């Protein structure tokens, strides 16, 4: 089959590879000039298979107000909120308080995380991809005794699913991360022993290059304006090049992996995808002293900032902001991120030389991604990965390829079904 994949973020590129491996002819359409340049560009770099959890949770809803009131708090919202923001929040609250839904979605996402780890290992074994990647574990710090008790509950779910983890004393935390010499409060931590790291942009670029060598066509600087469809099938896509070119490209099947832009194309074929662009920020700084830097990836619960080692760089990332689509980077956000780094890893990196970035998580109101068949028999969706698209990409790609080939997917896709928002 000739399959068109829309979007060359990490989800689109991994999808293209999975389809190619199954013998399909694949064309990837990307409106930007290369792979992994939108949300996949500057994320926190965690492949956090054991951490994945739905955005819609009653616990999070209870903390939301406190987070909003705190200047350094992780949750921000533009006031007054827009109608789109309000709609998204109402839908999130509905999922958060629907009995049993959080637990089911959490387990479904964790199973997808486990599957994705296996898929990444196979991919990395097969291709020599250069992306500062590792699987050296991930750590969540506890800056209060209360947080340690939350981690005890988390560890129970991880044990249930066979995900290797360790509850650590402050001394054990420092043994795993000897560079952590700052004075931030520390009451222990939870280590996800088999989780990993990696630069998602470098990975997307490196995999796209491998795809091109293998015969997959990438058409950059080309936007899909419209799906060409009748009531039963999609026949192709209407393209527009940055040079003014217009073309209709025929396809036997289409996969929509356009991140936060997916709803626009889906709408035309009667598919409601309530994906909201949840903003976040990162800074990436060259290391000054590798001995003082994280070895892997650390989640500082004090500021809700993640610091990740990516080769000879440190990436620090934070904030969940509901302000619609706005690429500004306020200095106050960067200040909070720098505060976290300095309280844990002082002197590790040259923060004054950091590059800064903002990106938009393609978030569904409940949290799980959208994986499955759309409103036409040959339209498929692999999108809406929210906070965990880098982590879940390799596994999601295999699952959608199985669906396209008419196989029973390796995991139940119930939590990821595209039609769940209309129910
Ligand atoms: C601050 C922050 C930190 C994060 N940290 C992590 C992390 O540590 N671990 C993790 O797993 N995830 C993390 N994420 C989430 C992760 O980055 C995303 O889930 C993931 O990048 C989404 O990938 P994607 O391919 O779906 O979307 P994108 O990377 O946005 O790719 C979609 C592509 O589609 C293209 N496109 C859109 N419309 C069209 C069109 N009409 N025609 C052609 N092309 C089109 C876009 O240009 C884009 O390149 C983080 C996100 C943010 C913002």
């Amino acid at each position: 089959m000739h399959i068109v994949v829309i979007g060359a973020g990490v989800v689109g590129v991994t999808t293209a590879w999975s389809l190619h491996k199954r013998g399909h002819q694949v064309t990837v359409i990307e409106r930007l000039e290369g792979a992994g340049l939108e949300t996949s560009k500057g994320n926190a770099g965690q492949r956090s298979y054991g951490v994945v959890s739905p955005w819609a949770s009653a616990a999070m809803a209870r903390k939301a107000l406190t987070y909003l009131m705190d200047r350094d708090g992780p949750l921000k919202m533009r006031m007054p909120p827009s109608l789109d923001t309000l709609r998204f929040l109402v839908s999130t609250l509905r999922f958060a308080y629907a009995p049993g839904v959080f637990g089911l979605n959490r387990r479904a996402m964790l199973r997808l995380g486990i599957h994705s780890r296996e898929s990444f290992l196979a991919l990395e074994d097969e291709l020599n991809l250069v992306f500062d990647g590792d699987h050296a574990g991930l750590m969540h710090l506890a800056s209060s005794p209360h947080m340690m008790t939350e981690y005890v509950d988390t560890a129970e779910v991880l044990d249930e699913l066979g995900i290797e983890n360790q509850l650590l004393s402050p001394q054990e935390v420092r043994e795993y991360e000897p560079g952590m010499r700052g004075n931030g409060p520390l009451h222990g931590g939870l280590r996800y022993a088999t989780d990993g790291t990696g630069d998602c942009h470098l990975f997307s670029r490196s995999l796209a290059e491998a795809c091109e060598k293998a015969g997959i066509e990438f058409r950059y600087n080309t936007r899909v304006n419209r799906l060409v469809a009748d009531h039963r099938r999609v026949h192709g896509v209407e393209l527009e090049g940055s040079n003014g070119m217009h073309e209709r490209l025929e396809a036997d099947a289409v996969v929509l992996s356009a991140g936060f832009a997916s709803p626009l194309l889906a709408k035309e074929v009667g598919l409601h995808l309530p994906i909201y662009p949840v903003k976040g920020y990162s800074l990436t700084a060259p290391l000054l002293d590798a001995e003082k830097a994280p070895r892997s990836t650390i989640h500082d619960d004090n500021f809700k900032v993640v610091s990740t080692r990516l080769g000879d760089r440190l990436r620090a990332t934070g904030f969940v902001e509901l302000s619609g689509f706005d690429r500004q980077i306020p200095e106050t956000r960067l200040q909070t991120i720098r505060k976290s780094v300095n309280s844990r890893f002082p002197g590790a990196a040259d923060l004054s030389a950091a590059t800064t970035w903002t990106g938009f998580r393609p978030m569904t109101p409940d949290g799980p991604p959208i994986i499955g068949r759309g409103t036409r028999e040959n339209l498929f969706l692999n999108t809406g990965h929210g906070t965990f698209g880098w982590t879940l990409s390799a596994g999601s790609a295999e699952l959608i390829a199985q669906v396209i080939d008419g196989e029973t997917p390796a995991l139940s896709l119930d939590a990821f079904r595209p039609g769940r928002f209309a129910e």
Side-chain angles (χ1 to χ4, degrees):
M1 277 201 282
H2 175 225
I3 304 178
V4 165
V5 176
I6 305 175
V10 71
V11 174
V13 178
T14 47
T15 300
W17 179 253
S18 291
L19 291 169
H20 164 78
K21 292 277 291 172
R22 290 167 161 263
H24 296 294
Q25 182 201 342
V26 184
T27 306
V28 181
I29 311 294
E30 168 56 53
R31 62 183 170 161
L32 299 176
E33 62 275 19
L37 290 176
E38 191 55 81
T39 310
S40 302
K41 174 120 195 274
N43 67 29
Q46 304 177 92
R47 290 189 284 174
S48 48
Y49 318 107
V51 179
V52 291
S53 186
W55 149 260
S57 86
M60 188 56 79
R62 280 194 297 272
K63 289 180 195 163
L65 203 58
T66 322
Y67 284 161
L68 279 171
M69 307 295 277
D70 178 359
R71 184 180 180 277
D72 288 323
L75 181 62
K76 301 285 171 213
M77 183 157 67
R78 176 181 294 159
M79 292 296 181
S82 68
L83 209 56
D84 281 348
T85 305
L86 283 175
R87 264 195 217 109
F88 179 71
L89 281 177
V90 168
S91 184
T92 290
L93 289 174
R94 204 164 53 84
F95 282 111
Y97 286 103
V101 168
F102 174 78
L104 287 174
N105 284 348
R106 186 183 195 186
R107 283 166 180 76
M109 289 177 76
L110 284 167
R111 287 194 183 95
L112 177 53
I114 295 168
H115 184 59
S116 201
R117 183 175 192 276
E118 287 162 11
S119 308
F120 267 117
L121 290 179
L123 195 64
E124 286 173 55
D125 219 25
E126 184 175 5
L127 298 171
N128 185 23
L129 302 173
V130 181
F131 64 104
D132 288 333
D134 210 341
H135 277 119
L138 178 156
M139 199 136 56
H140 279 201
L141 305 180
S143 60
S144 66
H146 170 74
M147 194 45 87
M148 255 341 259
T149 58
E150 283 198 14
Y151 292 164
V152 173
D153 293 345
T154 303
E156 273 176 26
V157 179
L158 299 177
D159 289 343
E160 175 198 320
L161 293 170
I163 298 170
E164 213 182 308
N165 68 91
Q166 295 153 278
L167 289 160
L168 302 176
S169 67
Q171 193 192 329
E172 288 168 325
V173 168
R174 291 187 199 283
E175 279 163 19
Y176 276 110
E177 287 290 351
M180 215 173 75
R181 300 171 193 184
N183 59 6
L186 185 63
H187 290 262
L190 174 60
R191 182 164 184 268
Y192 300 76
T194 55
D195 282 10
T197 47
D199 184 321
C200 182
H201 168 233
L202 293 184
F203 175 89
S204 307
R205 199 174 70 185
S206 190
L207 181 57
E209 282 165 11
C211 285
E212 284 189 288
K213 275 196 197 119
I216 297 174
E217 187 185 4
F218 279 71
R219 298 189 58 178
Y220 293 119
N221 295 307
T222 304
R223 171 191 299 272
V224 174
N225 277 341
R226 200 171 73 84
L227 303 174
V228 181
D230 60 25
H231 65 284
R232 202 169 64 83
R233 290 180 65 79
V234 175
H235 298 282
V237 286
E238 263 182 23
L239 304 181
E240 181 177 353
S242 54
N243 57 1
M245 167 283 292
H246 284 267
E247 182 187 329
R248 177 173 159 163
L249 180 66
E250 306 292 326
D252 300 309
V254 172
V255 185
L256 183 55
S257 293
F260 64 78
S262 301
L264 285 176
L265 290 168
K267 202 168 136 192
E268 302 226 359
V269 286
L271 186 55
H272 172 54
L273 300 182
I275 294 173
Y276 184 95
V278 174
K279 194 176 182 185
Y281 304 87
S282 72
L283 55 82
T284 309
L287 289 190
L288 285 172
D289 184 345
E291 298 294 312
K292 294 181 179 168
R295 283 181 172 166
S296 184
T297 179
I298 302 280
H299 181 266
D300 175 8
D301 73 309
N302 199 22
F303 291 98
K304 303 278 183 273
V305 164
V306 173
S307 291
T308 300
R309 173 77 166 267
L310 296 171
D312 56 5
R313 298 166 297 151
L314 181 141
R315 171 151 317 146
T317 313
F319 293 103
V320 164
E321 185 167 318
L322 305 170
S323 55
F325 190 75
D326 163 12
R327 289 199 196 258
Q328 284 182 60
I329 305 182
E331 174 58 22
T332 48
R333 305 283 186 274
L334 299 176
Q335 274 169 9
T336 304
I337 295 175
R338 286 195 286 261
K339 239 192 250 181
S340 169
V341 176
N342 286 327
S343 75
R344 300 295 181 187
F345 298 100
D350 184 359
L351 299 182
S352 66
T355 53
T356 59
W357 174 82
T358 184
F360 301 87
R361 303 167 182 90
M363 193 76 87
T364 57
D366 50 353
I370 300 168
I371 306 171
R373 195 185 298 271
T375 44
R376 300 294 187 273
E377 63 188 32
N378 59 344
L379 172 64
F380 300 91
L381 305 162
N382 189 15
T383 188
H385 288 71
T387 307
F388 300 109
W390 171 210
T391 303
L392 300 177
S393 57
S396 307
E398 289 208 345
L399 292 178
I400 198 65
Q402 288 162 353
V403 173
I404 291 171
D405 278 347
E407 296 171 10
T408 305
L411 302 175
S412 161
L413 294 186
D414 200 40
F416 312 123
R417 66 196 183 283
R420 66 189 190 267
F421 307 107
E423 291 160 7

